[in-house]
Amino acid sequence: MLNKRVKIFILIVVTIGLSTILYSVLNINSEKLLETIVLGILAALTESLPIYINKNVAVSVGYAVDLMALLILGFPNATIVAILGMILQIAIDENKKIKTIFNRPYYKTLFNISQISISVFLASLVYKYLGGVPGQNVYPKYLLAAIVASIVYNLLNTSLVAALLSLLIKKPFLSVWTSDFSWTLINFLFLAFIGILMASAFMTYGYIALVVFFIPLLMVRYMFKLYMDLKQSYYDTINALTKALEAKDRYTLGHSKSVEKLAVYLCREAGFSEAHTEMVRIAALLHDVGKIGIVENILNKPGKLSKEEYDYIKQHPVSGYEILKDVPFLKNVRYWVRYHHEWYNGNGYPDGISGKQIPLEAEILSVADVFDALVSDRPYRNAYTREEAYKIIVDSEGTQFSPRVIRLFKRAYEKNKEDFKHDF
């Protein structure tokens, strides 16, 4: 069920969006009706080829067509093009099911067509305000206006969706936008370039330009899809490694996922970029991968370990480093994995480094690792409460943990207290 805040937000967006659509329909420029229909069909074709970023968010190259319509037709016809693209799309979702306007929840359809109509409308106003004239060649006179309008369109579009997701999953807007949309900005700027180029070519050469440029547009979509597939293959490999470890060590079941989630909160407090945070997430998932080489009777021993057994287990950060060292894209991750048991005062392992010799990323992994271990049951003790674990870590400032990582931990804990527990 949608909560009250989500319903109010959807109602506001839909009210504004439908008003924009109604105004567009009543004031459509009939002289440009043919171009509107053709571009609307082209928009529908591109919207029917979505690329799923996650189960909630998909993107398409339809952005380039909408921008093209904005530059060629202007408001209100450009809004009609964007709406036709949304209404006429026939897409296959990530579960291989056919999706049309008729089998989507009505509120999702209304929200989608409303947010895109608002985005096109405001971007059109920006283009006109900056001196742009729809129907005239963009380059070079109106190029700056077109670039600014394309950025406004993209930011409005992604921000409205991010705001809805923020309310649905109860996470800060900025963190949602950063995690799901910020990294796509470069791709959308490239699509903006294609859209501007298509608009200029259309106004110079007519409909033949649509045929010429539609193929490169599909190639852009194909390359983006390859990138997403490659990214997913990395995660599939990483998850396979963590599952192999969890199958061997029953006491760490779900531990890596928990460490990953806690580490992300600390990364946000550290101000890491999304790409940087992504690498820390990978390190969190792989931080104990070296335990794969430890014999099970020691790894799962119910009682206290002997000194020899403990020394043996203490080699797992080195083993993890050795496993990862020949993977080019994990060149930094391998060091964070190696150092995640080092202490600020130099009493950690395996290398006994101290202070700022320990990368902040490794410190973040260490705090997340220790916190999750403390709030989890172990063969030799029951789990600590969340508050007890918090106090133990804060009291370890200056010995196990540095003041800088404790500051990040305190801020992350206060903002996300309910998530600082083991049962993710």
Side-chain angles (χ1 to χ4, degrees):
M1 291 292 292
L2 301 177
N3 62 50
K4 186 177 180 180
R5 293 178 65 192
V6 172
K7 290 179 179 178
I8 292 173
F9 179 73
I10 291 176
L11 180 61
I12 292 171
V13 172
V14 169
T15 300
I16 297 173
L18 292 183
S19 299
T20 304
I21 294 169
L22 180 61
Y23 180 86
S24 300
V25 171
L26 294 176
N27 293 275
I28 190 170
N29 185 342
S30 57
E31 293 180 1
K32 297 180 179 180
L33 189 59
L34 178 61
E35 293 96 328
T36 303
I37 294 172
V38 171
L39 292 181
I41 293 171
L42 188 62
L45 288 174
T46 54
E47 291 291 350
S48 297
L49 297 170
I51 301 167
Y52 283 87
I53 297 174
N54 58 43
K55 64 181 181 179
N56 295 314
V57 179
V59 296
S60 77
V61 293
Y63 167 66
V65 179
D66 292 344
L67 178 61
M68 179 185 176
L70 187 155
L71 300 175
I72 296 172
L73 307 174
F75 180 79
N77 290 53
T79 303
I80 303 300
V81 169
I83 298 310
L84 287 174
M86 299 296 292
I87 292 175
L88 299 179
Q89 65 173 296
I90 302 174
I92 298 176
D93 67 15
E94 59 177 1
N95 297 317
K96 309 301 180 184
K97 294 181 179 179
I98 296 176
K99 291 287 186 181
T100 70
I101 189 175
F102 301 108
N103 61 4
R104 289 188 176 94
Y106 74 92
Y107 61 88
K108 285 187 178 180
T109 298
L110 288 174
F111 180 83
N112 286 335
I113 63 175
S114 296
Q115 59 89 8
I116 204 164
S117 67
I118 293 169
S119 301
V120 172
F121 169 63
L122 291 178
S124 299
L125 288 182
V126 169
Y127 185 60
K128 186 176 181 180
Y129 177 78
L130 294 176
V133 179
Q136 293 192 16
N137 207 314
V138 175
Y139 185 82
K141 188 175 181 180
Y142 308 125
L143 182 59
L144 179 60
I147 292 172
V148 175
S150 69
I151 293 172
V152 169
Y153 175 101
N154 177 249
L155 289 179
L156 278 169
N157 189 7
T158 56
S159 295
L160 287 170
V161 177
L164 178 61
L165 289 175
S166 174
L167 292 171
L168 284 171
I169 63 178
K170 298 179 181 179
K171 298 295 180 186
F173 164 81
L174 191 59
S175 66
V176 173
W177 189 88
T178 301
S179 63
D180 283 338
F181 298 102
S182 64
W183 65 273
T184 67
L185 194 55
I186 298 299
N187 298 288
F188 278 110
L189 287 175
F190 183 68
L191 284 174
F193 168 76
I194 296 290
I196 292 170
L197 200 60
M198 289 175 67
S200 297
F202 180 84
M203 285 181 276
T204 303
Y205 301 107
Y207 286 101
I208 189 65
L210 297 183
V211 179
V212 172
F213 282 98
F214 189 63
I215 295 174
L217 196 60
L218 291 181
M219 290 301 297
V220 171
R221 188 260 178 196
Y222 178 69
M223 289 187 290
F224 191 32
K225 180 71 164 57
L226 284 180
Y227 170 75
M228 292 302 299
D229 289 345
L230 181 61
K231 185 178 178 182
Q232 186 58 48
S233 71
Y234 284 147
Y235 279 104
D236 289 344
T237 302
I238 290 164
N239 284 326
L241 284 170
T242 57
K243 286 178 180 178
L245 174 60
E246 289 174 349
K248 184 173 184 177
D249 181 8
R250 62 182 182 273
Y251 296 115
T252 61
L253 185 63
H255 172 65
S256 295
K257 283 288 187 182
S258 300
V259 172
E260 175 198 11
K261 189 160 189 176
L262 298 179
V264 167
Y265 291 135
L266 273 75
C267 287
R268 288 174 184 162
E269 296 305 320
F272 288 177
S273 67
E274 183 59 26
H276 196 166
T277 300
E278 195 81 3
M279 297 311 294
V280 177
R281 288 181 60 197
I282 291 172
L285 291 171
L286 295 174
H287 75 283
D288 275 341
V289 70
K291 288 183 177 179
I292 287 177
I294 297 175
V295 294
E296 292 182 38
N297 63 328
I298 294 178
L299 197 59
N300 293 320
K301 185 176 179 179
K304 186 177 180 181
L305 297 173
S306 66
K307 182 181 183 304
E308 291 76 16
E309 290 169 336
Y310 184 54
D311 288 340
Y312 178 54
I313 283 186
K314 283 165 65 175
Q315 289 305 305
H316 79 269
V318 177
S319 299
Y321 171 86
E322 293 296 326
I323 290 171
L324 303 177
K325 72 176 184 179
D326 294 325
V327 183
F329 93 104
L330 297 179
K331 62 181 180 180
N332 291 323
V333 168
R334 59 185 172 178
Y335 291 107
W336 306 339
V337 168
R338 183 183 182 105
Y339 298 142
H340 79 277
H341 278 295
E342 299 291 355
W343 283 32
Y344 181 66
N345 64 3
N347 289 338
Y349 62 86
D351 300 316
I353 60 175
S354 62
K356 291 189 177 179
Q357 292 177 300
I358 308 171
L360 178 57
E361 296 85 353
E363 292 188 86
I364 287 173
L365 294 182
S366 181
V367 168
D369 183 32
V370 170
F371 186 90
D372 186 68
L374 289 171
V375 297
S376 305
D377 287 322
R378 286 292 183 261
Y380 48 87
R381 63 159 174 81
N382 292 326
Y384 289 95
T385 66
R386 184 174 56 200
E387 291 74 20
E388 289 170 338
Y390 174 82
K391 186 175 186 303
I392 289 171
I393 287 179
V394 170
D395 288 347
S396 298
E397 179 180 349
T399 53
Q400 185 170 0
F401 304 115
S402 71
R404 66 175 178 175
V405 82
I406 290 297
R407 285 195 297 271
L408 300 180
F409 174 71
K410 286 179 177 178
R411 294 203 299 263
Y413 182 84
E414 287 304 315
K415 292 180 182 178
N416 308 279
K417 189 177 294 186
E418 289 303 313
D419 282 345
F420 271 67
K421 52 190 177 183
H422 184 67
D423 54 332
F424 289 120

